[in-house]
Amino acid sequence: MLGAAVKKELVRILGNENVSFLREDLIAYSYDATAVAYPPDCVVFPSNAEEVSGVLKLAAREVFPVVPRGAGTGFTGGSLAVRAGVVMSFERMAGIKEIDASNLTAEVEPGVITGDFQDEVEAMGLFYPPDPTSVKVSTIGGNIAECAGGPRAIKYGVTRDYVLGLEVVLPTGELVFTGGKKTLKGVAGYDLTRLIVGSEGTLGVVTKAHLKLLPLPQAKKTMLARFSDIETAFAAVEAIIGEKVIPSTLEIIDDVTLDCMGETVIGRGGAALIIEVDGWREAVEKEGSIIRGLLSGAMEFRIAADKNEVKDIWNVRRSISPALSKIKPTKLNEDVVVPRGALVSFIKGVRDISKKRAVIIACFGHAGDGNIHVNVMVDKNDPVEFRNGTLAVEDIFSLAVGLGGTISGEHGVGITKAPYLGMELSADTIAVMKKIKDALDPAGILNPGKIFRESSPAPG
Ligand SMILES: Cc1cc2nc3c(=O)[nH]c(=O)nc-3n(C[C@H](O)[C@H](O)[C@H](O)COP(=O)(O)OP(=O)(O)OC[C@H]3O[C@@H](n4cnc5c(N)ncnc54)[C@H](O)[C@@H]3O)c2cc1C
């Protein structure tokens, strides 16, 4: 609980209209995509870095938690106020400050919706590739904090590859600048930008980002291939990469997921690949025909005829995550990654786990970079099924790490994966991370209870 003096000071720093103690706001800001709720004591809406700094200085002095929040689409509980305190939301810091077409850079505030930013740069013939499937809702600040990936990572990399520099308010309230603004190179001192990217809002609050842009590819081709089973689909992935063609997207959808989606433009049963190539028109034609040749044995292969068909295919892909709740109300959604060559062994292992634990598991995701979203579908009100689901998740992490992979490719650790971090990282590595956290946040006020194993109170 925040004391009266702290509440008064928050209002002084931010202004009455930018601080809310209303019950409806506390409820609205208590969720993310993990669907558990932790209501904060207060929600604040800063307009600039000075206000962010003022709140953090106050929090460090009076010792209360501050939890940065973008759009709340995170899958690991990163923006949840697990120890109550203040949720800091960035919808009033959502400006695109500059798009510099000659240096191919941009300066943006953290609350900008990534999809809006992409639309704006594309209108200028430019391109910001990071594209989490939540792109129409999630924010640049949240994407940076989670180092979001997405379907285009196979060719273009992830958010960290596009962050040149950051303005960051440390948990002690100091404003620092990391990296560069308009230069592609820069090795002066430690790479603090990379430290902040992916730190899940635990080491600093991003108040401005300097981003790298590319020229917008001249052409794009979207293809859809259907296979009798997922093993054949994975073999197709291998064949494409083996031919030294790197598509901009290589998404896979398994039979459980396709059946759950029902009658759609993609179809039911078997497995599907969504493949996109982009670049110069001639190159796209050439790559498209190589892929068509390689996939001649597919059950079905087609090239999207027009923009509407492309939109329809992506609408199905983007609605998978929410639609899975038709199978069971609780989705234990894990974004493990394995080396691409291990995908067939991985999926076989997942099937075995599904049988052993008697739970339905739906798989889809970014096959091109080995990042599969494994969704263990259970009902959390059924204690036996929920327990089996949790054990299945543990088995899946163990399988992924055993195959040389990771427990999280893009969703972060947050609260949901904190108990499993030790399956992948050694105690020494975790100790180094904790030392960094303690050095930057000695009072432990910025987004506490995340990443490292410690018990969070039960959701409210
Ligand atoms: C349907 C759906 C599809 C998705 N698809 C993908 C996908 O393809 N790829 C992918 O990577 N993710 C995906 N996600 C997960 C999620 O969208 C990403 O993790 C996204 O980056 C979160 O952004 P957000 O703005 O919603 O942040 P939030 O969920 O609000 O917060 C995420 C983290 O960022 C921190 N944070 C937010 N703003 C700041 C800031 N200014 N400074 C410091 N820390 C901050 C928070 O404290 C929290 O730890 C998907 C989610 C959904 C619901």
Side-chain angles (χ1 to χ4, degrees), residues 33 68-75 78-79 90 110 132-134 138-139 141-143 145-146 148-150 200-201 204-206 321 366 410-411 447:
R69 180 182 173 94
T73 65
F75 273 131
S79 60
F90 291 99
T133 323
S134 57
S138 64
T139 65
N143 291 179
E146 298 290 358
E200 305 189 30
V205 175
V206 174
S321 196
H366 319 308
E410 50 186 26
H411 294 167
N447 213 356

Side-chain angles (χ1 to χ4, degrees), residues 226 255 258-264 266-271 299:
R226 294 267 317 287
D255 54 343
L258 288 173
D259 287 344
C260 164
M261 300 304 289
E263 295 309 328
T264 70
I266 298 185
R268 311 176 76 127
M299 250 164 55

Side-chain angles (χ1 to χ4, degrees), residues 15-40:
N16 206 19
E17 65 287 7
N18 296 318
V19 181
S20 177
F21 303 101
L22 292 173
R23 192 172 138 71
E24 53 267 39
D25 280 340
L26 305 186
I27 292 171
Y29 288 84
S30 68
Y31 293 96
D32 71 355
T34 51
V36 289
Y38 287 91

Side-chain angles (χ1 to χ4, degrees), residues 31-33 67-80 88 90 110-112 114 131-135 137-151 159 196 199-202 204-207 251 317-322 331 333 335 366 371 373 409-412 414 446-447 450:
Y31 293 96
D32 71 355
V67 182
R69 180 182 173 94
T73 65
F75 273 131
T76 52
S79 60
L80 299 182
M88 180 179 275
F90 291 99
V112 171
T114 307
D131 63 335
T133 323
S134 57
V135 72
V137 194
S138 64
T139 65
I140 293 285
N143 291 179
I144 289 173
E146 298 290 358
C147 188
T159 301
I196 296 295
S199 65
E200 305 189 30
T202 63
V205 175
V206 174
T207 48
E251 293 285 291
R317 169 62 186 85
R318 289 208 173 93
S319 46
I320 287 177
S321 196
K331 181 175 55 161
N333 167 8
D335 65 318
H366 319 308
N371 185 189
H373 295 294
E410 50 186 26
H411 294 167
L446 189 61
N447 213 356
K450 310 293 164 69

